[in-house]
Amino acid sequence: MQLIKVRDYHEMSELLTKYFIDQIVSKPDSVLSFTTGKTPQEFLMKLADAINYGLDISNCIFMNLDEFVGKKDAAYSVHRFMHTYLYDNIAVMPKEIHMINGEAEDKEEELKRYGNILKQHGRDIQILGLGINGHIGANEPGTPFNSRMFVADSLETTMRSTKDYYGLKEEEVPTQMYTMGFTEIMEADHVILAASGSSKAYAVKAVAEGEISEDMPASILRNHPNFTFIVDEAAGALLK
């Protein structure tokens, strides 16, 4: 594990952008997998700026970690988020864009379809955000470390975070999410976990300094041979 401490959210976003730019420059046909939510929001906007200033992504493949079960145009959907902060803001698109279909009628078939895409395209970078309970994607506490792509039932803490971030009414909050399991996450060549803000401090300490346990899902990343953990001062406040 490489633990990197930065000053604040903005510095974290700049560093994430640098990792992705460097990867694309060094390997123009990179396969890059994104996450959504507050953590990558500014980073995606900075990446869009870099693309519009000439960063060549025309041979890259972009994909995503997860997707809520629900409509593509819902306020919370990964599809909408990626278009709002990246795809609708760039003039040149990557060679391929792959996202999970949250509207799929047959969940098992959709898991199989996206799982096959993952098998065909080895990811150079998988970026992750850290949940306050340590979840990554929708791998909540208690999820077996050998999990593969599945549809997860969201815990109350996760649903509350989703509700607050997207300004949803109680009845609008999604309760299930397609997600890569730990197995697919760990198959990426480079895994980057980012955490910002004091609400993440307990989880950051547990991931970096605690036991590797299914009770703290992101702790499994310490077993990855190329794991980078980026935390700002507030998120890393409890670290020794």
Side-chain angles (χ1 to χ4, degrees):
M1 177 181 71
Q2 181 185 23
L3 179 64
I4 301 175
K5 298 179 182 178
V6 296
R7 184 175 63 256
D8 55 23
Y9 175 75
H10 302 297
E11 192 171 305
M12 181 190 78
S13 301
E14 290 174 358
L15 183 57
L16 289 173
T17 307
K18 184 178 186 304
Y19 271 112
F20 274 69
I21 290 174
D22 289 350
Q23 173 63 40
I24 293 166
V25 170
S26 65
K27 186 185 175 192
D29 61 347
S30 290
V31 179
L32 305 168
S33 184
F34 299 88
T35 189
T36 55
K38 178 64 170 69
T39 298
Q41 183 176 310
E42 185 177 299
F43 147 66
L44 286 175
M45 292 189 289
K46 288 180 179 296
L47 183 61
D49 288 341
I51 293 167
N52 289 332
Y53 278 115
L55 178 66
D56 185 5
I57 61 166
S58 61
N59 289 311
C60 289
I61 295 174
F62 286 6
M63 57 180 60
N64 275 88
L65 170 73
D66 49 22
E67 175 60 281
F68 290 103
V69 174
K71 299 294 185 182
K72 284 183 180 179
D73 61 355
Y76 54 76
S77 82
V78 168
H79 183 275
R80 180 168 173 174
F81 186 99
M82 291 300 297
H83 279 271
T84 298
Y85 292 103
L86 182 62
Y87 298 131
D88 289 351
N89 303 316
I90 55 179
V92 178
M93 291 292 168
K95 180 181 178 182
E96 296 178 28
I97 297 172
H98 297 289
M99 283 190 273
I100 300 166
N101 179 13
E103 298 179 342
E105 292 184 9
D106 189 325
K107 293 185 176 70
E108 288 303 318
E109 281 301 312
E110 181 59 14
L111 289 170
K112 188 182 300 182
R113 182 192 72 84
Y114 202 72
N116 286 334
I117 290 171
L118 293 175
K119 290 176 183 176
Q120 293 167 22
H121 304 294
R123 283 151 292 140
D124 293 289
I125 296 180
Q126 175 65 63
I127 182 174
L128 304 165
L130 180 65
I132 58 174
N133 62 3
H135 75 258
I136 47 176
N139 293 273
E140 300 279 11
T143 303
F145 280 152
N146 64 352
S147 64
R148 285 196 169 272
M149 273 205 74
F150 66 105
V151 177
D153 294 322
S154 298
L155 296 187
E156 183 62 37
T157 52
T158 300
M159 289 192 290
R160 189 161 55 247
S161 295
T162 303
K163 177 178 181 291
D164 292 345
Y165 178 68
Y166 292 102
L168 305 176
K169 297 177 182 177
E170 202 68 44
E171 63 272 16
E172 296 174 326
V173 180
T175 59
Q176 288 188 313
M177 194 172 202
Y178 289 93
T179 185
M180 291 185 201
F182 294 116
T183 302
E184 289 89 2
I185 290 171
M186 297 290 279
E187 285 172 348
D189 289 345
H190 184 191
V191 176
I192 302 175
L193 178 64
S196 173
S198 58
S199 66
K200 306 293 178 71
Y202 169 77
V204 166
K205 181 176 177 61
V207 170
E209 299 176 350
E211 294 182 4
I212 295 176
S213 165
E214 292 174 357
D215 293 333
M216 183 53 59
S219 63
I220 187 62
L221 299 177
R222 295 200 341 242
N223 287 339
H224 194 284
N226 190 14
F227 167 42
T228 302
F229 194 6
I230 304 172
V231 303
D232 66 10
E233 289 181 358
L238 300 180
L239 293 172
K240 292 180 181 178

